[in-house]
mmCIF file of all heavy atoms in Angstrom:
data_model
loop_
_atom_site.group_PDB
_atom_site.id
_atom_site.type_symbol
_atom_site.label_atom_id
_atom_site.label_comp_id
_atom_site.label_asym_id
_atom_site.label_seq_id
_atom_site.Cartn_x
_atom_site.Cartn_y
_atom_site.Cartn_z
ATOM 1 N N LEU A 6 1.285 13.872 1.760
ATOM 2 C CA LEU A 6 1.010 15.134 2.445
ATOM 3 C C LEU A 6 1.769 16.307 1.912
ATOM 4 O O LEU A 6 2.991 16.192 1.636
ATOM 5 C CB LEU A 6 1.405 15.007 4.007
ATOM 6 C CG LEU A 6 0.510 14.179 4.932
ATOM 7 C CD1 LEU A 6 1.062 14.223 6.326
ATOM 8 C CD2 LEU A 6 -0.886 14.649 4.878
ATOM 9 N N LEU A 7 1.072 17.431 1.819
ATOM 10 C CA LEU A 7 1.746 18.659 1.420
ATOM 11 C C LEU A 7 1.980 19.489 2.719
ATOM 12 O O LEU A 7 1.035 19.764 3.464
ATOM 13 C CB LEU A 7 0.786 19.488 0.516
ATOM 14 C CG LEU A 7 1.269 20.824 0.052
ATOM 15 C CD1 LEU A 7 2.614 20.748 -0.755
ATOM 16 C CD2 LEU A 7 0.167 21.481 -0.825
ATOM 17 N N VAL A 8 3.206 19.804 2.947
ATOM 18 C CA VAL A 8 3.610 20.567 4.158
ATOM 19 C C VAL A 8 4.119 21.923 3.789
ATOM 20 O O VAL A 8 5.099 21.973 3.121
ATOM 21 C CB VAL A 8 4.661 19.763 4.990
ATOM 22 C CG1 VAL A 8 5.105 20.625 6.218
ATOM 23 C CG2 VAL A 8 4.120 18.437 5.529
ATOM 24 N N LEU A 9 3.427 22.934 4.260
ATOM 25 C CA LEU A 9 3.811 24.298 3.905
ATOM 26 C C LEU A 9 4.157 25.044 5.140
ATOM 27 O O LEU A 9 3.404 25.173 6.108
ATOM 28 C CB LEU A 9 2.560 24.997 3.287
ATOM 29 C CG LEU A 9 2.020 24.421 1.954
ATOM 30 C CD1 LEU A 9 0.681 24.998 1.622
ATOM 31 C CD2 LEU A 9 2.983 24.736 0.815
ATOM 32 N N SER A 10 5.383 25.606 5.204
ATOM 33 C CA SER A 10 5.846 26.300 6.368
ATOM 34 C C SER A 10 5.841 27.835 6.099
ATOM 35 O O SER A 10 6.399 28.300 5.083
ATOM 36 C CB SER A 10 7.238 25.887 6.744
ATOM 37 O OG SER A 10 7.726 26.694 7.737
ATOM 38 N N ILE A 15 8.150 27.804 15.849
ATOM 39 C CA ILE A 15 8.585 26.412 15.511
ATOM 40 C C ILE A 15 9.780 26.396 14.515
ATOM 41 O O ILE A 15 10.517 25.453 14.513
ATOM 42 C CB ILE A 15 7.332 25.689 14.900
ATOM 43 C CG1 ILE A 15 7.655 24.147 14.748
ATOM 44 C CG2 ILE A 15 6.871 26.259 13.602
ATOM 45 C CD1 ILE A 15 6.403 23.382 14.427
ATOM 46 N N THR A 16 9.954 27.456 13.785
ATOM 47 C CA THR A 16 11.087 27.596 12.848
ATOM 48 C C THR A 16 12.202 28.450 13.368
ATOM 49 O O THR A 16 13.153 28.767 12.601
ATOM 50 C CB THR A 16 10.603 28.197 11.470
ATOM 51 O OG1 THR A 16 10.281 29.638 11.723
ATOM 52 C CG2 THR A 16 9.399 27.481 10.908
ATOM 53 N N LEU A 29 14.328 28.310 9.997
ATOM 54 C CA LEU A 29 14.197 26.955 9.341
ATOM 55 C C LEU A 29 13.017 26.920 8.375
ATOM 56 O O LEU A 29 12.121 27.711 8.442
ATOM 57 C CB LEU A 29 13.963 25.934 10.509
ATOM 58 C CG LEU A 29 14.982 25.849 11.618
ATOM 59 C CD1 LEU A 29 14.525 24.830 12.671
ATOM 60 C CD2 LEU A 29 16.342 25.529 11.059
ATOM 61 N N GLY A 30 13.178 26.017 7.464
ATOM 62 C CA GLY A 30 12.085 25.799 6.470
ATOM 63 C C GLY A 30 11.379 24.484 6.745
ATOM 64 O O GLY A 30 11.773 23.715 7.615
ATOM 65 N N ALA A 31 10.366 24.179 5.898
ATOM 66 C CA ALA A 31 9.590 23.014 6.137
ATOM 67 C C ALA A 31 10.473 21.670 5.999
ATOM 68 O O ALA A 31 10.243 20.785 6.809
ATOM 69 C CB ALA A 31 8.489 22.953 5.039
ATOM 70 N N ALA A 32 11.463 21.653 5.125
ATOM 71 C CA ALA A 32 12.265 20.490 4.944
ATOM 72 C C ALA A 32 13.043 20.242 6.174
ATOM 73 O O ALA A 32 13.216 19.094 6.604
ATOM 74 C CB ALA A 32 13.161 20.686 3.735
ATOM 75 N N ASP A 33 13.585 21.292 6.885
ATOM 76 C CA ASP A 33 14.319 21.170 8.118
ATOM 77 C C ASP A 33 13.408 20.530 9.179
ATOM 78 O O ASP A 33 13.828 19.671 9.967
ATOM 79 C CB ASP A 33 14.808 22.529 8.615
ATOM 80 C CG ASP A 33 15.620 23.198 7.577
ATOM 81 O OD1 ASP A 33 16.620 22.640 7.084
ATOM 82 O OD2 ASP A 33 15.346 24.371 7.278
ATOM 83 N N LEU A 34 12.178 21.073 9.288
ATOM 84 C CA LEU A 34 11.289 20.564 10.340
ATOM 85 C C LEU A 34 10.908 19.105 10.163
ATOM 86 O O LEU A 34 10.836 18.318 11.038
ATOM 87 C CB LEU A 34 10.031 21.443 10.344
ATOM 88 C CG LEU A 34 10.317 22.970 10.599
ATOM 89 C CD1 LEU A 34 9.009 23.702 10.581
ATOM 90 C CD2 LEU A 34 10.988 23.172 12.025
ATOM 91 N N VAL A 35 10.666 18.792 8.840
ATOM 92 C CA VAL A 35 10.286 17.366 8.480
ATOM 93 C C VAL A 35 11.475 16.481 8.818
ATOM 94 O O VAL A 35 11.305 15.309 9.445
ATOM 95 C CB VAL A 35 9.852 17.252 7.032
ATOM 96 C CG1 VAL A 35 9.710 15.800 6.582
ATOM 97 C CG2 VAL A 35 8.566 18.000 6.863
ATOM 98 N N ALA A 36 12.709 16.911 8.485
ATOM 99 C CA ALA A 36 13.914 16.083 8.717
ATOM 100 C C ALA A 36 14.146 15.823 10.190
ATOM 101 O O ALA A 36 14.739 14.804 10.595
ATOM 102 C CB ALA A 36 15.143 16.745 8.125
ATOM 103 N N ALA A 37 13.608 16.750 11.019
ATOM 104 C CA ALA A 37 13.852 16.585 12.464
ATOM 105 C C ALA A 37 12.934 15.523 13.122
ATOM 106 O O ALA A 37 13.068 15.191 14.318
ATOM 107 C CB ALA A 37 13.651 17.893 13.196
ATOM 108 N N VAL A 38 12.002 15.006 12.324
ATOM 109 C CA VAL A 38 11.058 13.977 12.820
ATOM 110 C C VAL A 38 11.132 12.742 11.932
ATOM 111 O O VAL A 38 10.250 12.574 11.050
ATOM 112 C CB VAL A 38 9.621 14.475 12.912
ATOM 113 C CG1 VAL A 38 8.695 13.532 13.660
ATOM 114 C CG2 VAL A 38 9.579 15.929 13.560
ATOM 115 N N PRO A 39 12.175 11.948 12.063
ATOM 116 C CA PRO A 39 12.331 10.828 11.100
ATOM 117 C C PRO A 39 11.132 9.880 11.026
ATOM 118 O O PRO A 39 10.878 9.301 9.957
ATOM 119 C CB PRO A 39 13.590 10.073 11.668
ATOM 120 C CG PRO A 39 14.254 11.055 12.542
ATOM 121 C CD PRO A 39 13.207 11.987 13.057
ATOM 122 N N THR A 40 10.382 9.706 12.096
ATOM 123 C CA THR A 40 9.249 8.740 12.053
ATOM 124 C C THR A 40 8.138 9.252 11.103
ATOM 125 O O THR A 40 7.215 8.442 10.712
ATOM 126 C CB THR A 40 8.637 8.634 13.455
ATOM 127 O OG1 THR A 40 8.484 9.910 14.055
ATOM 128 C CG2 THR A 40 9.453 7.747 14.344
ATOM 129 N N LEU A 41 8.240 10.424 10.598
ATOM 130 C CA LEU A 41 7.210 10.938 9.649
ATOM 131 C C LEU A 41 7.283 10.086 8.361
ATOM 132 O O LEU A 41 6.272 9.868 7.730
ATOM 133 C CB LEU A 41 7.487 12.361 9.258
ATOM 134 C CG LEU A 41 7.075 13.468 10.298
ATOM 135 C CD1 LEU A 41 7.469 14.828 9.812
ATOM 136 C CD2 LEU A 41 5.650 13.401 10.656
ATOM 137 N N ALA A 42 8.487 9.537 8.126
ATOM 138 C CA ALA A 42 8.590 8.707 6.913
ATOM 139 C C ALA A 42 7.802 7.500 6.936
ATOM 140 O O ALA A 42 7.451 6.911 5.926
ATOM 141 C CB ALA A 42 10.103 8.350 6.691
ATOM 142 N N ALA A 45 3.773 9.084 6.043
ATOM 143 C CA ALA A 45 3.324 9.752 4.840
ATOM 144 C C ALA A 45 4.568 9.988 3.914
ATOM 145 O O ALA A 45 5.671 10.117 4.403
ATOM 146 C CB ALA A 45 2.647 11.045 5.102
ATOM 147 N N GLU A 46 4.171 10.188 2.635
ATOM 148 C CA GLU A 46 5.205 10.700 1.665
ATOM 149 C C GLU A 46 4.963 12.227 1.713
ATOM 150 O O GLU A 46 3.830 12.613 1.459
ATOM 151 C CB GLU A 46 4.861 10.108 0.288
ATOM 152 C CG GLU A 46 5.891 10.398 -0.741
ATOM 153 C CD GLU A 46 5.286 10.004 -2.140
ATOM 154 O OE1 GLU A 46 4.726 8.910 -2.248
ATOM 155 O OE2 GLU A 46 5.326 10.893 -3.004
ATOM 156 N N ILE A 47 6.041 12.944 2.040
ATOM 157 C CA ILE A 47 5.807 14.352 2.248
ATOM 158 C C ILE A 47 6.568 15.246 1.208
ATOM 159 O O ILE A 47 7.641 14.989 0.910
ATOM 160 C CB ILE A 47 6.400 14.694 3.656
ATOM 161 C CG1 ILE A 47 5.449 14.113 4.703
ATOM 162 C CG2 ILE A 47 6.519 16.213 3.921
ATOM 163 C CD1 ILE A 47 5.861 14.299 6.161
ATOM 164 N N GLU A 48 5.799 16.255 0.804
ATOM 165 C CA GLU A 48 6.407 17.295 -0.044
ATOM 166 C C GLU A 48 6.487 18.551 0.815
ATOM 167 O O GLU A 48 5.445 19.064 1.283
ATOM 168 C CB GLU A 48 5.575 17.563 -1.272
ATOM 169 C CG GLU A 48 6.305 18.661 -2.142
ATOM 170 C CD GLU A 48 5.803 18.743 -3.572
ATOM 171 O OE1 GLU A 48 5.491 17.704 -4.115
ATOM 172 O OE2 GLU A 48 5.680 19.888 -4.045
ATOM 173 N N ALA A 49 7.703 19.060 1.105
ATOM 174 C CA ALA A 49 7.886 20.221 1.979
ATOM 175 C C ALA A 49 8.156 21.451 1.193
ATOM 176 O O ALA A 49 9.067 21.484 0.383
ATOM 177 C CB ALA A 49 9.012 19.916 2.948
ATOM 178 N N ARG A 50 7.378 22.497 1.500
ATOM 179 C CA ARG A 50 7.585 23.801 0.820
ATOM 180 C C ARG A 50 7.625 24.916 1.882
ATOM 181 O O ARG A 50 6.960 24.770 2.956
ATOM 182 C CB ARG A 50 6.481 24.147 -0.142
ATOM 183 C CG ARG A 50 6.314 23.111 -1.257
ATOM 184 C CD ARG A 50 5.207 23.589 -2.247
ATOM 185 N NE ARG A 50 4.745 22.515 -3.028
ATOM 186 C CZ ARG A 50 3.502 22.500 -3.687
ATOM 187 N NH1 ARG A 50 2.768 23.579 -3.566
ATOM 188 N NH2 ARG A 50 3.182 21.467 -4.421
ATOM 189 N N SER A 51 8.324 25.960 1.615
ATOM 190 C CA SER A 51 8.494 26.988 2.566
ATOM 191 C C SER A 51 8.188 28.395 1.955
ATOM 192 O O SER A 51 9.108 29.153 1.648
ATOM 193 C CB SER A 51 9.900 27.030 3.171
ATOM 194 O OG SER A 51 10.267 25.828 3.579
ATOM 195 N N ILE A 84 -0.569 20.089 5.725
ATOM 196 C CA ILE A 84 -0.208 20.684 7.068
ATOM 197 C C ILE A 84 0.383 22.051 6.766
ATOM 198 O O ILE A 84 1.251 22.223 5.915
ATOM 199 C CB ILE A 84 0.871 19.791 7.737
ATOM 200 C CG1 ILE A 84 0.316 18.436 8.056
ATOM 201 C CG2 ILE A 84 1.345 20.449 9.002
ATOM 202 C CD1 ILE A 84 1.322 17.439 8.621
ATOM 203 N N ILE A 86 2.352 25.085 8.687
ATOM 204 C CA ILE A 86 3.175 25.325 9.881
ATOM 205 C C ILE A 86 3.322 26.861 9.974
ATOM 206 O O ILE A 86 3.781 27.494 9.021
ATOM 207 C CB ILE A 86 4.562 24.657 9.741
ATOM 208 C CG1 ILE A 86 4.393 23.145 9.599
ATOM 209 C CG2 ILE A 86 5.457 25.034 10.911
ATOM 210 C CD1 ILE A 86 5.706 22.467 9.243
ATOM 211 N N ILE A 112 -0.482 23.940 12.443
ATOM 212 C CA ILE A 112 0.246 23.703 13.635
ATOM 213 C C ILE A 112 1.331 24.817 13.810
ATOM 214 O O ILE A 112 1.622 25.552 12.946
ATOM 215 C CB ILE A 112 0.938 22.386 13.707
ATOM 216 C CG1 ILE A 112 2.059 22.297 12.594
ATOM 217 C CG2 ILE A 112 0.063 21.246 13.614
ATOM 218 C CD1 ILE A 112 3.255 21.375 12.980
ATOM 219 N N GLY A 125 7.724 21.633 18.845
ATOM 220 C CA GLY A 125 7.425 21.600 17.389
ATOM 221 C C GLY A 125 7.514 20.191 16.837
ATOM 222 O O GLY A 125 6.546 19.800 16.092
ATOM 223 N N PRO A 126 8.514 19.396 17.092
ATOM 224 C CA PRO A 126 8.532 18.021 16.478
ATOM 225 C C PRO A 126 7.270 17.175 16.864
ATOM 226 O O PRO A 126 6.723 16.526 16.003
ATOM 227 C CB PRO A 126 9.833 17.460 17.013
ATOM 228 C CG PRO A 126 10.735 18.621 17.259
ATOM 229 C CD PRO A 126 9.779 19.697 17.699
ATOM 230 N N LEU A 129 4.297 18.426 14.973
ATOM 231 C CA LEU A 129 4.365 17.990 13.539
ATOM 232 C C LEU A 129 3.962 16.503 13.384
ATOM 233 O O LEU A 129 3.175 16.215 12.444
ATOM 234 C CB LEU A 129 5.712 18.341 12.961
ATOM 235 C CG LEU A 129 5.949 18.006 11.472
ATOM 236 C CD1 LEU A 129 4.887 18.685 10.591
ATOM 237 C CD2 LEU A 129 7.333 18.410 11.028
ATOM 238 N N TYR A 130 4.495 15.711 14.276
ATOM 239 C CA TYR A 130 4.164 14.343 14.239
ATOM 240 C C TYR A 130 2.709 14.108 14.448
ATOM 241 O O TYR A 130 2.007 13.372 13.674
ATOM 242 C CB TYR A 130 4.967 13.602 15.326
ATOM 243 C CG TYR A 130 4.621 12.140 15.545
ATOM 244 C CD1 TYR A 130 5.016 11.225 14.446
ATOM 245 C CD2 TYR A 130 4.088 11.634 16.678
ATOM 246 C CE1 TYR A 130 4.730 9.873 14.682
ATOM 247 C CE2 TYR A 130 3.812 10.341 16.868
ATOM 248 C CZ TYR A 130 4.108 9.412 15.821
ATOM 249 O OH TYR A 130 3.863 8.101 16.011
ATOM 250 N N ALA A 133 0.695 15.054 11.397
ATOM 251 C CA ALA A 133 0.764 14.110 10.288
ATOM 252 C C ALA A 133 -0.224 12.942 10.604
ATOM 253 O O ALA A 133 -0.863 12.424 9.657
ATOM 254 C CB ALA A 133 2.160 13.607 10.113
#
Side-chain angles (χ1 to χ4, degrees):
L6 283 184
L7 178 60
V8 176
L9 299 165
S10 173
I15 189 168
T16 69
L29 304 178
D33 305 307
L34 301 177
V35 170
V38 189
T40 47
L41 288 176
E46 188 194 310
I47 290 177
E48 180 165 323
R50 299 185 200 158
S51 307
I84 297 175
I86 298 170
I112 66 153
L129 182 54
Y130 176 67

